[in-house]
Amino acid sequence: SPLPLVAMHIRRGDKDADKYNRYHLTKEYVQAVYAYASQAPWCTDGNRTPVIQVYVASDSENALAEVKTYLQNVRAGNCSFRVIGATNTLSSSMSTKWVTTGTKSAMAGVVSRLPGDKAQQAMYEILFDIYMLSRATFLVGTYMSQIARLARGLHIMANYNHGVDVEPKPVALDWTALGMYSMERRSPFRIAEGW
């Protein structure tokens, strides 16, 4: 059977300095994945020892290595982790470009200033990240990220079952006040894209 896939979208770039967004440490994303895996049926069944694939999508060149450092040699119940993600991509270097140029625009603004072939390459990389995030059983991200929200919406549409909620709910690290599922609690309010 295929390996379970969980995913995280680690947003850096303009979100690091945006006064409306709190910076979320990589450790917070990893803690959410660990909490989920510790309760997942395939990790609590004593008859199996699966490896959970953790896909990391980010505009930061460092995010993948940071997640690998946190999850190497770690077990959640019977499960171990295998961290995967694209390396040396244009899209994963966007936060570095933002910091060095001082440009205060979102990913789309940075990509739109790239020459044609580079912009197209970055677009394909971002679309691949959205696809991988949407295929995950469990997603950790931020609600303020259009990429994470789009991925969640695609996930719901692919798994829609006649009005039944798609479970498990993702974790939005930046939004608990309006009913987002968080590590701390669930709220009865409903927000778009099934968060």
Side-chain angles (χ1 to χ4, degrees), residues 28-85:
E28 294 175 78
Y29 292 85
V30 171
Q31 287 171 333
V33 166
Y34 183 84
Y36 167 73
S38 296
Q39 299 174 21
W42 55 77
C43 293
T44 57
D45 178 358
N47 298 322
R48 297 185 288 176
T49 56
V51 176
I52 295 178
Q53 294 185 110
V54 179
Y55 183 80
V56 178
S58 183
D59 59 353
S60 167
E61 295 172 320
N62 302 322
L64 182 64
E66 291 170 3
V67 173
K68 284 182 177 181
T69 299
Y70 278 112
L71 289 176
Q72 68 184 4
N73 303 318
V74 170
R75 296 191 72 78
N78 297 331
C79 292
S80 60
F81 298 94
R82 178 176 164 227
V83 180
I84 59 175

Side-chain angles (χ1 to χ4, degrees), residues 132-146:
M132 290 297 291
L133 294 169
S134 75
R135 302 296 297 166
T137 303
F138 179 68
L139 173 64
V140 180
T142 57
Y143 186 74
M144 295 303 290
S145 163
Q146 290 90 346

Side-chain angles (χ1 to χ4, degrees), residues 99-189:
V99 169
T100 58
T101 63
T103 306
K104 292 188 177 182
S105 63
M107 175 75 77
V110 175
V111 170
S112 70
R113 287 188 293 278
L114 293 172
D117 60 331
K118 299 267 190 220
Q120 185 176 25
Q121 178 184 342
M123 177 197 62
Y124 288 140
E125 293 166 2
I126 294 164
L127 288 172
F128 182 77
D129 280 344
I130 292 168
Y131 173 78
M132 290 297 291
L133 294 169
S134 75
R135 302 296 297 166
T137 303
F138 179 68
L139 173 64
V140 180
T142 57
Y143 186 74
M144 295 303 290
S145 163
Q146 290 90 346
I147 289 174
R149 288 198 328 265
L150 177 57
R152 178 59 183 172
L154 291 170
H155 179 85
I156 288 171
M157 294 311 298
N159 297 287
Y160 182 73
N161 188 14
H162 307 290
V164 177
D165 272 351
V166 177
E167 295 287 341
K169 297 286 187 230
V171 168
L173 295 176
D174 60 343
W175 205 288
T176 56
L178 292 179
M180 298 297 132
Y181 174 78
S182 71
M183 291 182 286
E184 296 87 26
R185 64 180 174 86
R186 282 188 187 255
S187 171
F189 301 106

